[in-house]
């Protein structure tokens, strides 16, 4: 995504080394993603298509970029 059109949502997920969370820009608004936690793992998928955008260590969360600022 360009700086002119920032991503509407951001996925925040922990790093394996325990530092600050990493971030991944997501192209759809927050409400288009489902977050499932299973123990220490998290799966984030697109509602409707089921496409998995993240499967890894958790907890992870999808946040609204505008709400963070």
């Amino acid at each position: 995504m360009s700086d002119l059109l920032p991503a509407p949502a951001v996925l925040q997920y922990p790093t394996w080394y325990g530092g600050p969370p990493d971030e991944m820009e997501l192209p759809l608004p927050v409400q288009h993603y489902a977050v499932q936690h299973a123990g220490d793992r998290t799966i984030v998928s697109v509602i409707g298509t089921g496409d998995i955008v993240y499967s890894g260590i958790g907890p992870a969360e999808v946040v609204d970029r505008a709400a963070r600022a």
Side-chain angles (χ1 to χ4, degrees):
M1 302 236 110
S2 76
D3 289 336
L4 297 175
L5 297 171
V10 175
L11 171 66
Q12 296 178 327
Y13 54 96
T15 57
W16 62 268
Y17 54 84
D22 276 340
E23 294 186 343
M24 177 190 321
E25 292 184 339
L26 299 174
L28 302 171
V30 172
Q31 62 270 23
H32 291 271
Y33 297 97
V35 180
Q36 300 173 325
H37 301 284
D40 64 347
R41 308 289 293 175
T42 300
I43 297 173
V44 178
S45 59
V46 178
I47 295 172
T49 66
D51 292 339
I52 295 175
V53 296
Y54 177 79
S55 178
I57 59 174
E61 64 179 330
V62 178
V63 296
D64 186 323
R65 177 180 291 285
R68 288 186 336 154

